[in-house]
Amino acid sequence: QVQLVESGGGLVEPGGSLRLSCTASGFTLDNWSIGWFRQAPGKEREGVSCITAYNEGYYVDSVKGRFTISRDNAKNTVYLQANSLKPEDTAVYYCGTPVGRFPYLCPHLESSEYGNWGQGTQVTVSS
């Protein structure tokens, strides 16, 4: 059974950092891209970042220069290092796999292009 599990969220002050993890079970991540999304209360799920099977990373403008996506295939895990966190980063963060024909590439960061969502991990940025 394909499953993704997110972890690493928490409460941090503005300017703080967190490292989120997305660990896969039931399949190996080697040939898959992984996307990170977030959803704040009352808002739609929005794309944050994606990493291809070839280790190319993509980011939305709002997190460029602050977030870094990486992968450790030996641990079957993708990470999202979030630095210089702002209150507007507060959300539940989810990871997912592409559902299209080319799962080793990153499709547009639209939630409809991804699936196999995990349960999410809460990130709260507040003083």
Side-chain angles (χ1 to χ4, degrees), residues 13-18 38 46 48-49 59-69 80-90 93 123 125:
E13 295 184 346
S17 298
L18 286 171
R38 64 188 180 186
E46 65 169 352
V48 175
S49 180
Y59 306 89
V60 293
D61 287 346
S62 60
V63 306
K64 280 181 182 176
R66 300 189 298 123
F67 289 15
T68 302
I69 194 168
L80 186 68
Q81 178 68 43
N83 298 331
S84 302
L85 283 162
K86 305 175 181 180
E88 51 263 43
D89 295 317
T90 295
Y93 283 68
V123 171
V125 185

Side-chain angles (χ1 to χ4, degrees), residues 1 9-10 21-22 26-27 34 38 42 48 56-57 65-66 69 72 75 77-78 83 93 103-104 106 115 117 120:
Q1 180 181 359
S21 299
C22 171
F27 72 110
I34 292 291
R38 64 188 180 186
V48 175
E56 300 160 321
R66 300 189 298 123
I69 194 168
D72 185 342
K75 295 183 178 180
T77 298
V78 168
N83 298 331
Y93 283 68
Y104 45 86
C106 284
W117 303 106

Side-chain angles (χ1 to χ4, degrees), residues 109-126:
L109 282 169
E110 299 287 341
S111 58
S112 59
E113 301 282 352
Y114 295 78
N116 294 316
W117 303 106
Q119 85 290 344
T121 186
Q122 175 71 48
V123 171
T124 302
V125 185
S126 174

